[in-house]
Amino acid sequence: MISIRKFQTADKEEVRKISCATALLETHHGVFFDDDEILADALTLYFTDYEPESCFVAVEDEEVVGYLIGTFDFAEMNKIFSKKILPGILWKTLYKGTFLKKKHFIFAFNVLKSFLKGEFTSPDFTKQYPAILHINIKKNSRGQNAGKELIENYLALLKSKNISGVHCGTMSERAKTFFTQCGFKVLFEGKRSYLRYCLNKDIPYYICGKLL
């Protein structure tokens, strides 16, 4: 049986591991970026260190098998990330020579091309949907309603804080279907081409939202 509880500091390393393992759909992230420390910092550090009260974990046999990390205020999160987290990530990449590695340089180059094409531009939904969430479940623990229960716990927390709405981004068709089944609607559809060089295809990008 999988149970849901609030995130605890002791869960941090497992959350970081899961974030890396699930970073790129069903393809291992090492194809394009194999520095787990930097990747996990970018994906989870704000949530686990600056807003842990907004995070939940799914537990099976005392093992963390999934998580939902979120923030009540996306705009405030971006400020903190830019001022306190991003400089540390950039310093680590310089200190470790991360982008001197060929695969990392190619990845960064393709992300830049994607950015210049405007693929990272989307409407601002933060007025109606100020909260955000990221959710991931280990592959072997999916199909047991853990994702739905994580969502329900988080939505209950948001309602208790009088948050008007929540949104999230995904590059997965399966995740888009999951969110719509949880009462979210698709607010935006786009694509990301920066992984075409290793996946031989563009990836769809969706922003889904739910008013509370």
Side-chain angles (χ1 to χ4, degrees):
M1 293 291 292
I2 295 180
S3 60
I4 309 301
R5 63 167 169 78
K6 293 298 292 290
F7 169 84
Q8 300 170 3
T9 302
D11 302 323
K12 180 175 176 178
E13 286 309 310
E14 276 305 309
V15 167
R16 289 170 65 85
K17 289 177 184 177
I18 296 171
S19 74
C20 291
T22 57
L24 181 59
L25 308 177
E26 300 301 323
T27 304
H28 192 273
H29 68 280
V31 170
F32 65 95
F33 196 88
D34 60 11
D35 190 316
D36 283 10
E37 180 185 11
I38 290 174
L39 183 60
D41 281 355
L43 294 174
T44 69
L45 190 60
Y46 168 79
F47 306 99
T48 59
D49 288 30
Y50 290 87
E51 201 170 335
E53 66 274 14
S54 300
C55 304
F56 294 84
V57 292
V59 179
E60 184 175 18
D61 296 329
E62 299 185 1
E63 176 189 357
V64 174
V65 297
Y67 64 81
L68 184 153
I69 51 180
T71 177
F72 299 150
D73 188 335
F74 180 66
E76 182 63 22
M77 181 203 77
N78 278 341
K79 291 179 185 178
I80 293 174
F81 187 88
S82 298
K83 292 180 180 179
K84 297 185 177 182
I85 297 176
L86 184 58
I89 292 175
L90 293 176
W91 168 249
K92 282 183 182 179
T93 63
L94 292 172
Y95 178 77
K96 299 169 77 172
T98 301
F99 290 105
L100 296 178
K101 195 170 184 177
K102 184 178 179 180
K103 74 163 66 174
H104 296 161
F105 177 81
I106 293 173
F107 172 68
F109 177 73
N110 279 276
V111 169
L112 178 60
K113 286 202 305 181
S114 187
F115 174 78
L116 294 175
K117 290 178 184 177
E119 293 176 3
F120 289 89
T121 301
S122 61
D124 182 2
F125 296 107
T126 56
K127 186 173 183 180
Q128 285 186 292
Y129 307 88
I132 65 164
L133 68 87
H134 298 285
I135 183 170
N136 281 304
I137 309 290
K138 284 184 177 180
K139 188 175 182 180
N140 293 339
S141 298
R142 295 172 189 170
Q144 301 182 59
N145 286 323
K148 184 178 180 182
E149 291 184 25
L150 284 166
I151 292 283
E152 289 174 350
N153 277 265
Y154 185 56
L155 295 184
L157 175 63
L158 294 180
K159 289 177 182 177
S160 74
K161 301 292 184 180
N162 295 315
I163 306 295
S164 60
V166 57
H167 72 283
C168 59
T170 181
M171 296 188 293
S172 164
E173 293 283 356
R174 177 185 290 181
K176 182 195 74 169
T177 299
F178 165 74
F179 286 122
T180 56
Q181 290 173 344
C182 291
F184 287 67
K185 66 178 182 179
V186 178
L187 304 175
F188 174 79
E189 296 185 28
K191 70 172 185 177
R192 300 286 168 87
S193 64
Y194 60 88
L195 292 173
R196 187 191 300 162
Y197 73 97
C198 59
L199 299 182
N200 297 315
K201 64 180 181 179
D202 291 342
I203 298 176
Y205 179 72
Y206 304 101
I207 296 177
C208 300
K210 182 178 176 67
L211 294 174
L212 305 174

